């Protein structure tokens, strides 16, 4: 356990969009955010991305030597650039997520990383939550509560993360603890960037629809959108979570459309999923702060602004860093784990009771 007081923690995140690894420093005591530190990014090469994509859907026990090497080397290379970190939060790479079935699988070896970096590493954040009946996701909501208090919010607001999958956190910043009743509600809204990335990769050999340039030239096919919204997931009450490829039918629904219409329709699907999700909020939010790659897509942001009854803004409007918010979240969660504080609660993952996930690996001393 860490002693009382604030520490500089380093968080790392490699998301389902498979673009690369984010790393960010955070000064925190595990409750309040005291300061934001430096950050960095290490992109996956095309070859590395292909290796990771080929491993999606895999579970422990399968031959994962090649993707594990990609995850470990990319994280080691990036995280070694932050010598001031006292503690590291290592999320790993999600390959499969089936909380009501086989569990959840984040590829990565925190013990080996601790040895490489020479400092304690907190990892395997999701397994304990799933073991107690939770969804294991999303895990950033406790950090969103801290962010809401950091920016001085007085009324309920939402954080919307548009990464590979979309997730929404409704926050009441008046509550004194993130695990308090009524402080948070969180869930995955639906697919976001992952299927759009897959579409443009399959058809055009591109990593993403940069700045919504392809979708901007197309129109939304309403029939496909209606079929998408008829999925049972949208009628399910939160908390609820998704695997990256749970909505692979999206590609089938746009198969006959032009590139532009397909991209526009899938962007509309991601936005419509958020609009459906907003109906679950305990009270209307004062604003929606958008993080993740989706906030850089003007088409997506215009759709959200048109469909929601409150301001929709990138988190930068509140002085936060939308590229690094999830990495910062795992720095924050690492300190909470090391302090014995919960990292998820019934209203964020559906877990039966507030629980602190994660295990801590310390570097072993090598006798000279």
């Amino acid at each position: 356990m860490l002693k009382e007081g604030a520490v500089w923690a380093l968080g790392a995140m490699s998301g389902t969009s498979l673009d690369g690894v984010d790393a960010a420093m955070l000064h925190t005591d595990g409750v309040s955010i005291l300061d934001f530190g430096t950050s960095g990014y290490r992109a996956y090469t095309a070859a590395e991305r292909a290796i990771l994509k080929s491993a999606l859907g895999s579970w422990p026990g399968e031959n994962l030597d090649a993707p594990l090497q990609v995850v470990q080397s990319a994280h080691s290379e990036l995280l070694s650039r932050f010598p001031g970190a006292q503690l590291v939060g290592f999320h790993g790479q999600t390959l499969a997520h089936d909380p009501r079935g086989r569990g959840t699988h984040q590829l990565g070896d925190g013990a080996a990383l601790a040895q490489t970096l020479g400092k304690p590493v907190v990892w395997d954040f999701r397994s304990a939550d799933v073991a107690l009946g939770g969804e294991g996701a999303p895990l950033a909501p406790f950090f969103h509560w801290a962010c809401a208090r950091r920016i001085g919010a007085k009324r309920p607001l939402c954080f919307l993360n548009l990464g590979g999958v979309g997730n929404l956190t409704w926050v009441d910043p008046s509550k004194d603890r993130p695990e308090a009743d009524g402080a948070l509600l969180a869930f995955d809204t639906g697919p976001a960037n992952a299927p759009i990335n897959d579409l443009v990769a399959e058809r055009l050999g591109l990593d993403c629809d940069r700045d919504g340039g392809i979708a901007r030239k197309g129109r939304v096919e309403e029939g496909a959108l209606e079929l998408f919204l008829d999925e049972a997931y949208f009628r399910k009450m939160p908390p609820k979570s998704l695997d990256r490829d749970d909505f692979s039918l999206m590609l089938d629904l746009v198969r006959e459309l032009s590139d532009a219409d397909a991209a526009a329709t899938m962007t509309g699907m991601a936005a419509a999923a958020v609009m459906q999700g907003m109906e679950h909020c305990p009270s209307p939010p004062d604003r929606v702060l958008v993080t993740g790659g989706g906030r850089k897509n003007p088409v997506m942001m215009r759709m959200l602004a048109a469909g929601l009854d409150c301001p929709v803004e990138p988190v930068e409007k509140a002085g936060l860093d939308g590229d690094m918010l999830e990495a910062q979240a795992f720095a924050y969660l690492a300190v909470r784990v090391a302090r014995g504080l919960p990292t998820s609660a019934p209203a964020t993952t559906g877990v039966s009771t507030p629980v602190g996930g994660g295990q801590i690996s310390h570097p072993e001393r090598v006798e000279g």
Side-chain angles (χ1 to χ4, degrees):
M1 293 291 177
L2 283 177
K3 294 182 290 186
E4 293 300 312
V7 298
W8 277 104
L10 174 62
M13 182 64 191
S14 176
T16 53
S17 55
L18 304 179
D19 53 351
V21 183
D22 300 320
M25 293 279 280
L26 188 75
H27 197 214
T28 180
D29 58 2
V31 179
S32 300
I33 299 168
L34 303 177
D35 201 4
F36 296 102
T38 56
S39 62
Y41 173 67
R42 196 278 198 186
Y44 288 128
T45 65
E48 289 172 333
R49 193 177 302 114
I51 290 171
L52 292 176
K53 191 164 186 180
S54 70
L56 292 174
S58 300
W59 294 95
E62 300 178 39
N63 184 359
L64 296 171
D65 291 348
L68 178 61
Q69 176 60 31
V70 170
V71 171
Q72 296 296 121
S73 61
H75 281 80
S76 297
E77 180 185 318
L78 177 60
L79 301 183
S80 62
R81 302 176 197 165
F82 297 83
Q86 297 165 263
L87 181 71
V88 175
F90 171 48
H91 174 266
Q93 179 65 56
T94 296
L95 295 185
H97 185 69
D98 181 21
R100 302 283 69 81
R102 297 184 66 176
T104 188
H105 181 204
Q106 285 71 50
L107 184 67
D109 186 339
L113 189 62
Q115 201 63 28
T116 299
L117 299 177
K119 55 192 65 179
V121 171
V122 182
W123 59 300
D124 190 21
F125 285 91
R126 301 184 189 271
S127 297
D129 183 274
V130 171
L132 287 174
E135 293 284 320
L139 284 189
F142 274 40
F143 181 62
H144 293 155
W145 170 86
C147 286
R149 291 170 70 91
R150 168 80 179 182
I151 65 176
K154 303 300 181 189
R155 293 168 43 80
L157 73 160
C158 285
F159 287 85
L160 172 63
N161 177 42
L162 294 175
V165 170
N167 52 68
L168 185 73
T169 304
W170 178 92
V171 183
D172 183 349
S174 70
K175 303 296 183 180
D176 64 352
R177 292 172 295 123
E179 66 270 29
D181 288 345
L184 295 166
L185 179 69
F187 55 95
D188 285 348
T189 58
N193 298 322
I196 303 171
N197 293 351
D198 291 347
L199 173 84
V200 299
E202 177 184 300
R203 294 195 181 192
L204 303 168
L206 301 174
D207 294 338
C208 65
D209 181 10
R210 198 165 304 282
D211 299 322
I214 302 169
R216 188 182 298 116
K217 299 171 186 172
R219 66 175 185 82
V220 175
E221 170 52 52
E222 295 297 333
L225 181 61
E226 288 176 13
L227 286 170
F228 167 76
L229 291 175
D230 197 42
E231 275 293 299
Y233 182 81
F234 298 117
R235 296 187 293 276
K236 184 179 177 184
M237 294 297 290
K240 53 185 178 177
S241 67
L242 288 167
D243 187 37
R244 181 193 191 277
D245 294 328
D246 276 351
F247 275 79
S248 54
L249 84 153
M250 289 172 70
L251 285 169
D252 295 330
L253 290 174
V254 301
R255 188 73 64 189
E256 305 303 318
L257 301 180
S258 68
D259 297 342
D261 287 354
T265 300
M266 295 182 90
T267 304
M269 290 172 174
V274 173
M275 296 169 203
Q276 293 275 85
M278 292 293 291
E279 297 176 5
H280 295 300
C281 292
S283 66
D286 200 40
R287 65 202 293 203
V288 175
L289 295 175
V290 187
T291 182
R295 79 193 192 287
K296 298 179 180 179
N297 184 330
V299 178
M300 182 96 71
M301 293 294 281
R302 280 197 298 270
M303 289 176 173
L304 290 169
L308 299 179
D309 295 327
C310 63
V312 178
E313 303 167 323
V315 294
E316 283 77 7
K317 287 279 189 178
L320 301 171
D321 185 342
D323 288 328
M324 292 296 159
L325 212 68
E326 284 206 69
Q328 292 165 348
F330 282 95
Y332 179 78
L333 294 174
V335 177
R336 290 187 69 86
V337 171
R339 290 260 153 82
L341 298 171
T343 53
S344 59
T348 63
T349 65
V351 69
S352 58
T353 188
V355 60
Q359 58 178 299
I360 306 174
S361 290
H362 295 270
E364 298 177 5
R365 290 186 178 180
V366 179
E367 298 298 329

